[in-house]
Amino acid sequence: QMSGSQPQGRGVPCLRCRGLCTGFEPHSWRKICKSCKCSQEEHSLSSELDDDRKIGRLLSGSKYSSLTARLKGGDGARVYKRNRMIVTNPNISGKDPTFDTITYEWAPPGLTQKLAMQYMELVPKELQPVAGTEGALQRRRRLARQLPLHDQDPAQCRGLAEGEQRLMEEFVRRYKAEALGVGEVALPGQGGGGKEEEKPQDKSTDPGRAPESPNGALESAAAAGHYRCDSCQQPVPGDCPVVYADRAGSSRQWHPACFVCCRCSEPLVDLIYFWKGGAAWCGRHYCESLRPRCAGCDEIIFSEDYQQVEGLAWHNKHFACLECETLLTGKPFALAKASLLCTTCSQSR
């Protein structure tokens, strides 16, 4: 939850419990509801402004800070300039023509509406972020899951020991400089800052080019269908928008539906990716690839002294029973769905 907007227990029923949970009761250090044990994202607690502030914080201080703006009269923090798209279609089925207005809560920036709509049509319908639909809700949940605020803001962390704040600040500074990226949508051959045919002098020197055809003419390579999706390896039609990732080089492109995290295969929310090992990762799994994540509080562990069981990790102080909070170091326990239970609570379940 963003600072300054603490979640309240009333009026925020859990999406997963479908009304069985009366509202979010924050746990002291777990990112879950004390009442139903579901995560904060299941209670959809953040507001749109919270989300825009979070992405603004993530992108500020990186080479993508142009996608952020300073809020007038705000606290000096930067906010994400999220591109919303409103499409108006005439409805001529009735006697008097009316207009249907569709609002997309996010659309790729810097495109004509025609190209942006082409992009949206290549995204599965249930994932299109149309306001008021399941697709918009899924986008918000992916924002919470893929880009947790506690992966970038030490002030949101409960697991940091003395002296570890500096380690986390350096961790964040490095991933912003070395891995963080925002995908660009363009037609094949036009990603990375302009059409390739406008840069003939680069043909032999740019390592990130599309494959050359035998006669060296890049345009004929595109016409012959030599552009392929980096993920599914299927040819990309020259008139269909694709996603480029500048950290991958301009020779690689993805179908909109194929630009997913290499670890969880979830679509990368708002095309925000982290590049490592020749692949795109979501923020959550990129951070976990560098440091362990505590299965108790969901935060990255910066200590070298922590508990490990069956591939999962815990801060020492969070190695506790989910039900009664008894510390379990050196005691018998059960592990159920990544949750620890003491023997008493395990038997009473």
Side-chain angles (χ1 to χ4, degrees), residues 58 130 167 239:
L58 176 66
V130 174
L167 292 175
D239 59 352

Side-chain angles (χ1 to χ4, degrees), residues 1 5-14 19-27 32-36 43 45:
Q1 185 63 18
S5 51
Q6 282 301 309
Q8 299 300 313
R10 297 177 303 284
V12 196
C14 176
L20 296 178
C21 170
T22 54
F24 187 79
E25 288 183 62
H27 188 279
I32 61 169
C33 173
K34 271 201 298 192
S35 170
C36 68
H43 291 78
L45 289 173

